[in-house]
Amino acid sequence: MKLADIVSIALTALMGAGGLVFSTTGAKGANVLVSAPSGTFTYPLSTPRTIEVGGEHGVLTVVISNNQAAIVKSPCHNQICVHKGWCGIEGDGIICVPEKVAVKIAGGMEGLDAVSE
Amino acid sequence: MRLANDIRGYGELSPGRKLVLLAFLTALSGVLSVADSFLPKPIPLAKLGLANIVTVFLIAEKRYLLAFQTAVYRTLVAAFVLGTFLSYTYLLSLAGSLASVGAMALFSKLLGDRIGETGISVWGSFASAAAQGAVVGLFFGFDKGLLLLISVFVIIGTVTGALIGYGTGRFRRTVSGQ
C-alpha cells in the first residue's frame, strides 16, 4: 500500500467521524415538522403521540416519545428511515426518499414574534 | 489473461471488439452487483460494492471513458431489472456511480502512480456517499439527520472501499504476473 492510500483512508475516515460528531451534538429540539405529499404538519416534541402519515405508496407511522421522534413503520423497500431510529436534536431529521416524507426536528419559537406560513 | 490484455490494448481493438468488451464488463459488474445484494449488510444500502472491482480495475489501467461507460450502463441495466428506472432510487444510484467514477478518475489523474487501487477506491466510495447525500438534500433539504446518514455511509464506505481496492490491487498484480 502506498502513502497516498493510507492518507486517503485517514482523510475519509476523519471526515466521516467529524460529520458523525457534528450531527449528533446540539441543543434539544422543541417541535417536529412532518412533511408529506399532503402537506406539512407541526407537532410539539413534549407530547407523546403516534401519527399516521400518508406517503407516496402507503402509510408511515411516526411516533413521538420522550422528546424524540422516529419513523417506526414504512412501506418503503430499503427501510433506511426506520433504521435511522430516534432523533431529538435541533436540526436532526429523517427522510424517506421513496415515500417523499421528511421528519425534521425544529427548535422552539422563543425570540420570534410570530410565524407566517 | 485475455480480458486484462484487451483492457490494456483497448485503443487498438476493432470497433466490434470494443463493443463486446464493454458489454462483457457491464454484464460482469451487473452480476457482481447482484451477488453483492445477497451478502449480509450492517444497514440497508451499505453494500460491499463488489461491482466497483471492475471500475477500480479500469481506472487503475487508466481506461477512464470505459470506466464511465461501464458504470452508467450497469446502473441502467440494474434499474431495468429492478424496475426503478427514472425513480428517486435510480437518480441516487446514477449520481453515486458518476461521482464515484469521477472522483476515482480525478485522483488517478492527479496523483498518477503515487496512489494505488486502495486510495482510488476509498475516494470513489466517499464521492458516492457524498453525491447521494447531496441529491437527497437537494430534494428534501439538508439537516443533521442527513449529515449523520452520509457520515455513517462515508465511514462504512472507507472500510469497504479499502477492502475492494486492496483486493483489486492484488488481483491486478496477479493477472500482470507481478
Side-chain angles (χ1 to χ4, degrees), chain A residues 2 4-5 8-9 12-13 15-17 19-20 22-26 78 80 83-84 90-93 95 97 100 104, chain B residues 44-45 88 111 113-116 118-119 122-123 126 136 140-141 143-145 147-149 151-152 154-155 158 162 166:
Chain A
K2 295 168 182 174
D5 295 341
S8 300
I9 293 172
T12 52
M15 282 192 272
L20 207 63
F22 180 75
S23 59
T24 49
T25 48
N78 290 314
I80 288 183
H83 281 80
K84 171 72 174 49
E90 194 182 330
D92 199 354
I95 297 167
V97 175
K100 294 184 185 162
K104 305 223 173 196
Chain B
L45 291 188
Y88 273 121
L111 296 173
D113 287 337
R114 278 172 288 168
I115 191 163
T118 311
V122 161
W123 284 115
F126 175 81
V136 174
F140 295 92
D143 60 21
K144 282 189 173 178
L147 180 66
L148 174 68
L149 209 61
S151 306
V152 170
V154 164
I155 291 168
T158 302
Y166 184 74

Side-chain angles (χ1 to χ4, degrees), chain B residues 2 10 17 24 31-32 52 60 66 73-75 97 104 111 113 165 169 177:
Chain B
R2 191 155 173 200
Y10 183 72
R17 188 131 187 93
F24 180 80
V31 168
L32 286 172
N52 281 328
L66 196 57
Y73 291 141
R74 180 191 80 209
T75 320
S97 285
M104 286 192 213
L111 296 173
D113 287 337

Side-chain angles (χ1 to χ4, degrees), chain A residues 98-115:
Chain A
E99 297 302 322
K100 294 184 185 162
V101 170
V103 173
K104 305 223 173 196
I105 307 296
M109 302 299 180
E110 308 92 350
L112 299 177
D113 296 331
V115 177

